[in-house]
Amino acid sequence: MKVLIAGAGRLGTQIAQVLSAARNDVTLVERDEDRLAQLDGMAQVRLLAGDASEPGLLARAGTRTADVLIAATGRDEDNLVIGLLAKRRFGVARVAARVNDAENTWLFDLRWGVDVAVPAATPLVSLIEEATGATDTVALLRLSKAGVAVIETAITAESRAAGRPLGEIDLPVGTVVATVVRDGRPTVPGPEVELRPGDELLLVSHEASEQEIHAAFQ
């Protein structure tokens, strides 16, 4: 699946790492070149500097052949313009957009090219399916074409995994840890990484359920 993400803040960066770990073709667009410099070297993600609300930039980013566009900037007006351009000018089949200000939610619909509106306080889900009744472990994304699920779990002081190296955690079959987000910064973890309260883990799995992931870490 070819995915274009506009906005390399925390949300956009997490989504990019998760989707690339699931072997999708991911392009991350950001106007702040200093922010892009911080992300230089991100594995398997194409980084592109520029304003995604400009049609020319979207064309260079490959929007015309994208399966999904996710507008995840911190400005609702930008997300609306990006969504509208993606849907109307470039014919993107699936457009998701982040809603930063709840008062603007009513604007985020098909009139502006948005298939799925994602509240800022809600994790991105099954492109996008909202997790309900979730606590520390939720299924963020189900990629039917790839046959995988992306699951998030948060480490707390009470978690059985707190203080243990990642390599000691008995993961379910067919499951890998795509990234550990610590202090707002995503990293690709090695087995020696010691898990701490406050860590957020994003896992990609062909087989495991949220319950099995919960049992492994909580």
Side-chain angles (χ1 to χ4, degrees):
M1 184 167 63
K2 184 172 182 179
V3 183
L4 176 63
I5 302 168
R10 179 181 177 184
L11 177 64
T13 303
Q14 285 184 9
I15 297 168
Q17 288 212 329
V18 169
L19 292 180
S20 64
R23 299 183 181 180
N24 293 284
D25 181 353
V26 179
T27 298
L28 181 60
V29 178
E30 171 59 49
R31 69 172 71 182
D32 185 342
E33 295 190 9
D34 290 337
R35 172 58 177 164
L36 278 186
Q38 294 175 358
L39 301 175
D40 188 36
M42 182 185 293
Q44 300 176 331
V45 176
R46 177 191 178 202
L47 301 176
L48 184 62
D51 186 348
S53 62
E54 296 180 356
L57 186 282
L58 288 176
R60 287 192 288 115
T63 308
R64 204 171 298 280
T65 57
D67 299 298
V68 177
L69 179 138
I70 301 171
T73 80
R75 294 167 57 89
D76 285 345
E77 55 268 40
D78 288 347
N79 291 340
L80 288 169
V81 170
I82 293 166
L84 186 63
L85 286 171
K87 181 68 72 174
R88 300 288 174 81
R89 178 169 293 199
F90 295 96
V92 177
R94 192 72 168 164
V95 175
R98 178 183 184 179
V99 184
N100 296 280
D101 185 342
E103 293 185 1
N104 296 328
T105 302
W106 65 277
L107 289 166
F108 285 73
D109 59 22
L110 287 175
R111 292 172 298 175
W112 280 91
V114 177
D115 295 293
V116 179
V118 185
T122 303
L124 192 70
V125 292
S126 178
L127 208 77
I128 288 170
E129 150 189 282
E130 184 170 352
T132 57
T135 52
D136 46 49
T137 305
V138 296
L140 296 180
L141 198 62
R142 299 190 189 280
L143 306 174
S144 57
K145 290 184 179 180
V148 299
V150 178
I151 299 172
E152 178 187 48
T153 191
I155 303 300
T156 68
E158 291 74 32
S159 299
R160 59 186 299 188
R164 297 174 60 192
L166 184 59
E168 291 185 1
I169 306 301
D170 188 15
L171 295 175
V173 175
T175 301
V176 296
V177 178
T179 186
V180 173
V181 181
R182 178 175 292 168
D183 298 326
R185 297 183 63 85
T187 60
V188 179
E192 74 286 351
V193 171
E194 183 177 294
L195 299 176
R196 304 175 186 171
D199 287 351
E200 298 174 14
L201 281 66
L202 300 178
L203 302 98
V204 179
S205 181
H206 282 277
E207 301 179 28
S209 65
E210 297 98 302
Q211 292 76 18
E212 289 173 309
I213 297 298
H214 176 92
F217 289 92
Q218 305 300 334

